[in-house]
Amino acid sequence: MSVKLHIKKGDMVCVIAGDNKGQQGKVLKVEAAKQRAIVEGVNMCKKATKPNAQHPQGGIIEQEAPIHISNLQVLDPKSGKPTRVGRKANAEGKLVRYAKKSGEEIK
């Protein structure tokens, strides 16, 4: 059973809790089963790697770690501030996400 999440890949989000509070970024990947998302430039961690095709030298690389979606809020397309997300039917009768603060549809 999959859970319906308020965050999708490509959304601009803001971190509202934890060590990275206040940081913003684009969602690169959503793991629905674990309720986690990877956000560009947020929750960076260091990882030791052996030499491979991507990193011929190997060594220590920095990469994004997953962050729980309860700590993320979608940014309002109108004001750029964090907002809650609702769902409603648009003119064609299709269910779309919208920002609760401005009423603007989230693409």
Side-chain angles (χ1 to χ4, degrees):
M1 184 185 134
S2 69
V3 181
K4 193 77 171 169
L5 304 177
H6 62 279
I7 288 172
K8 289 184 178 180
K9 181 181 173 180
D11 283 350
M12 283 300 293
V13 295
C14 179
V15 181
I16 57 168
D19 294 339
N20 300 291
K21 184 176 181 175
Q23 290 185 12
Q24 297 179 353
K26 190 176 182 181
V27 176
L28 302 174
K29 183 180 177 185
V30 175
E31 298 169 6
K34 295 180 183 175
Q35 294 193 5
R36 292 183 169 268
I38 295 176
V39 183
E40 191 174 34
V42 175
N43 200 20
M44 299 300 283
C45 70
K46 287 181 166 43
K47 183 180 179 187
T49 58
K50 288 184 173 180
N52 58 26
Q54 282 95 11
H55 306 282
Q57 285 286 195
I60 296 169
I61 60 164
E62 276 210 25
Q63 66 181 31
E64 293 93 351
I67 187 168
H68 199 272
I69 58 135
S70 66
N71 298 328
L72 300 174
Q73 227 175 10
V74 177
L75 292 177
D76 193 328
K78 206 172 203 176
S79 66
K81 292 182 179 171
T83 180
R84 291 178 300 150
V85 176
R87 290 190 190 88
K88 65 179 177 184
N90 64 1
E92 294 91 51
K94 192 175 182 223
L95 207 62
V96 293
R97 298 179 306 151
Y98 73 99
K100 292 251 184 160
K101 272 190 182 171
S102 65
E104 197 79 13
E105 189 178 311
I106 299 169
K107 300 285 184 251

